[in-house]
């Protein structure tokens, strides 16, 4: 039978007879909701056997429900073309039919690519953070957080002033694709050098495990009096991270369409607006761009030239996503577009500017220079600080 990975006599099968009626009622209810939700979203029938009512009660019933909700979320995401799974498909608890127990096959609990690995790690990381600092305790400090600065305004002003795309310069120590980019890494010194070199805004990587960044770096740069508005470069999977970024001094935060379903993006944009933060919504392909253009209230879209699943970088991606009707819609909506990743030379900047971006996000090519401020001059082929 397809999908069945184990089938064996179960010593626990006796539990089947002692399962309380309330469990069957609730379970039936949750199946009912799932079925309505699934059909209203044009989702295919679930790809698993549906005899779960025979599960034992208690903890495993709860786990089964959590699993079912998670599976429904995954199905919604998949129906929007999202390939990244938010957490490992650890599968439901064992199922019991009479004397037999069985599990349904899942695709394996190993991430399929680096982005999925990062997202799975974030899920557990954020859960731990939330235990230590629940949202309710964070919100108490919101009034004492530093005021947010106008991220998009700074990019537009730099574009007007220099005639080049406004620069978001990235404070990036390391990356999964390139390893360590800068050994002697002083985030505040780099931030100041970028500001002196003419950056309009800064992007600060806050992920520790994969990029050797930190939320402390964000706070250090903010508290050092750097005037450029700051983007919190995180892999957001939970609204908690947005509140935390705000408390640490961010003015903007990254939301990745390859990770977040439409409803999450809408909800997170509302939270950003409520907190005075700008959302930079990042896309990599046409499907993600079309999804994002269908969402109200988007002001800033980043086109990442790096495929975060394969690490492949191709700056013609920016041009491809800005061609034709999409480009027209973006102009009609007055959305500011940021060209991201793989920009090393004045020709690269000219190429993405020609494609229609009014801002660029650059890390590697400038952070590697002994003076990152001079790196900016090299990147643009001109001193843009003047
Ligand atoms: O940079 C990576 O290796 C990477 C891997 C997985 C997920 C995200 C990753 N990078 C995030 C970015 O997109 C870049 O930091 C940013 O656009 C700057 O790119 P670059 O100028 O090429 O350093």
């Amino acid at each position: 039978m397809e999908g069945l990975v184990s089938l064996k006599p179960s010593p626990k099968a006796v539990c089947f007879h002692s399962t309380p009626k309330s469990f069957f009622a609730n379970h039936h209810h949750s199946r009912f909701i799932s079925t309505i939700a699934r059909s209203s979203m044009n989702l295919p029938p679930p790809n698993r056997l549906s005899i779960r009512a025979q599960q034992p009660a208690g903890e495993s019933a709860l786990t089964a429900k959590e699993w079912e909700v998670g599976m429904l979320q995954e199905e919604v995401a998949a129906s929007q073309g999202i390939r990244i799974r938010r957490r490992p498909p650890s599968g439901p608890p064992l199922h019991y039919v009479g004397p037999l127990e069985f599990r349904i096959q899942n695709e394996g609990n190993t991430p399929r690519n680096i982005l999925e690995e990062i997202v799975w790690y974030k899920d557990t990381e954020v859960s731990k953070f939330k235990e230590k600092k629940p949202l309710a305790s964070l919100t108490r400090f919101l009034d004492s957080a530093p005021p947010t600065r106008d991220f998009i305004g700074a990019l537009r002003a730099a574009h007007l002033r220099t005639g080049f795309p406004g620069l978001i310069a990235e404070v990036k120590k390391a990356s999964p694709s390139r390893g360590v980019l800068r050994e002697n890494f002083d985030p505040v010194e780099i931030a100041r050098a970028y500001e002196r070199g003419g950056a309009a805004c800064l992007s600060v990587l806050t992920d520790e495990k994969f990029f050797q960044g930190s939320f402390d770096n964000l706070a250090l740069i903010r508290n050092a009096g750097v005037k450029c508005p700051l983007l919190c470069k995180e892999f957001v999977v939970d609204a908690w991270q947005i509140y935390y970024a705000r408390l640490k001094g961010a003015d903007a935060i990254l939301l990745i369409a390859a990770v977040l379903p439409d409803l999450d993006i809408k909800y997170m944009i509302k939270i950003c607006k409520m907190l005075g933060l700008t959302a930079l919504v990042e896309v990599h392909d046409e499907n993600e761009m079309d999804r994002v253009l269908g969402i109200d209230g988007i002001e800033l879209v980043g086109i990442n030239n790096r495929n975060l699943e394969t690490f492949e970088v191709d700056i013609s991606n920016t041009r491809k996503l800005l061609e034709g009707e999409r480009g027209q819609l973006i102009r009609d909506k007055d959305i500011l577009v940021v060209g991201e990743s793989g920009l090393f030379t004045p020709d690269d900047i000219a190429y993405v500017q020609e494609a229609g971006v009014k801002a660029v996000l650059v890390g590697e090519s400038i952070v590697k220079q002994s003076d990152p401020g001079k790196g900016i001059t090299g990147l643009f082929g001109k001193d843009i600080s003047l």
Side-chain angles (χ1 to χ4, degrees):
M1 190 187 305
E2 197 188 326
L4 203 65
V5 290
S6 74
L7 187 61
K8 56 181 180 176
S10 166
K12 292 192 210 148
V14 286
C15 296
F16 169 66
H17 298 291
S18 59
T19 303
K21 280 202 177 71
S22 60
F23 167 64
F24 287 110
N26 288 339
H27 188 77
H28 173 77
H29 184 59
S30 102
R31 290 284 305 147
F32 180 64
I33 291 171
S34 300
T35 309
I36 290 180
R38 189 172 283 110
S39 64
S40 69
M41 286 179 282
N42 284 331
L43 295 171
N47 181 24
R48 54 186 183 271
L49 297 176
S50 55
I51 37 182
R52 280 185 306 262
Q54 283 104 352
Q55 283 162 356
E59 213 174 291
S60 64
L62 198 61
T63 316
K65 273 174 190 271
E66 281 170 2
W67 177 81
E68 181 157 293
V69 170
M71 285 305 287
L72 182 59
Q73 285 168 346
E74 297 290 1
E75 287 179 45
V76 170
S79 75
Q80 292 170 10
I82 297 175
R83 292 178 297 277
I84 300 301
R85 297 166 299 171
R86 284 283 276 279
R87 46 192 71 85
S90 51
L94 289 174
H95 301 289
Y96 303 95
V97 177
L100 300 175
E101 70 179 33
F102 62 90
R103 277 185 202 282
I104 307 299
Q105 184 174 30
N106 60 50
E107 290 175 286
N109 288 331
T110 46
R112 290 192 284 231
N113 54 58
I114 183 68
L115 184 56
E116 199 164 82
E117 187 180 346
I118 295 172
V119 165
W120 290 6
Y121 182 78
K122 282 292 150 194
D123 199 49
T124 49
E125 185 185 67
V126 174
S127 301
K128 285 183 201 148
F129 282 162
K130 280 167 85 173
E131 266 173 36
K132 277 200 216 138
K133 298 180 194 251
L135 188 59
S137 75
L138 291 190
T139 52
R140 267 189 261 128
F141 296 101
L142 281 177
D143 285 346
S144 48
T148 51
R149 285 94 44 107
D150 182 359
F151 197 86
I152 296 179
L155 291 174
R156 288 198 191 278
H159 175 56
L160 273 178
R161 178 176 66 79
T162 65
F164 289 110
L167 172 66
I168 308 170
E170 189 150 279
V171 181
K172 181 180 191 181
K173 173 162 186 184
S175 77
S177 63
R178 297 280 201 248
V180 174
L181 297 167
R182 191 180 175 93
E183 283 293 352
N184 59 340
F185 185 82
D186 178 337
V188 172
E189 190 192 301
I190 294 166
R192 287 195 171 124
Y194 281 158
E195 187 159 67
R196 278 197 305 275
C201 298
L202 307 184
S203 161
V204 184
L205 277 152
T206 48
D207 171 78
E208 292 189 20
K209 182 174 163 69
F210 300 91
F211 291 85
Q212 299 187 34
S214 73
F215 276 99
D216 285 346
N217 287 353
L218 186 64
L220 279 172
I221 293 170
R222 181 72 205 246
N223 296 335
V226 171
K227 300 239 169 16
C228 291
L230 305 178
L231 170 75
C232 171
K233 194 88 184 292
E234 234 325 316
F235 295 83
V236 172
V237 292
D238 190 303
W240 182 93
Q241 294 161 286
I242 304 177
Y243 284 85
Y244 196 56
R246 171 74 185 90
L247 288 184
K248 291 288 181 175
D251 304 287
I253 191 154
L254 184 73
L255 303 176
I256 303 178
V259 171
L260 299 169
D262 298 358
L263 205 56
D264 286 13
I265 296 178
K266 287 180 195 169
Y267 161 68
M268 289 179 179
I269 282 178
K270 286 211 170 105
I271 291 175
C272 286
K273 291 211 161 134
M274 198 177 78
L275 296 176
L277 289 171
T278 299
L280 170 58
V281 186
E282 181 178 294
V283 303
H284 175 69
D285 61 25
E286 289 98 331
N287 176 56
E288 289 166 12
M289 180 65 103
D290 292 343
R291 282 175 47 216
V292 165
L293 291 179
I295 295 174
D296 283 339
I298 303 263
E299 296 169 305
L300 188 63
V301 169
I303 299 178
N304 205 333
N305 298 313
R306 176 175 288 112
N307 180 327
L308 303 186
E309 296 174 38
T310 63
F311 292 155
E312 195 188 322
V313 179
D314 178 359
I315 67 168
S316 72
N317 196 47
T318 295
R319 172 177 288 227
K320 189 171 75 183
L321 296 197
L322 291 176
E323 272 167 2
E325 284 178 20
R326 282 191 192 93
Q328 192 53 52
L329 190 54
I330 286 165
R331 286 188 291 279
D332 292 348
K333 286 179 170 242
D334 198 23
I335 292 172
L336 192 104
V337 180
V338 186
E340 302 176 5
S341 302
L343 303 170
F344 286 85
T345 65
D347 281 352
D348 293 343
I349 298 292
Y351 179 84
V352 289
Q353 182 165 20
E354 177 71 16
V357 309
K358 294 209 167 53
V360 288
L361 195 161
V362 183
E364 179 178 348
S365 68
I366 48 178
V367 83
K368 276 171 112 171
Q369 309 306 319
S370 52
D371 178 345
K374 292 216 174 81
I376 294 176
T377 306
L379 174 68
F380 284 85
K382 193 179 164 199
D383 184 352
I384 60 160
S385 68
L386 306 169

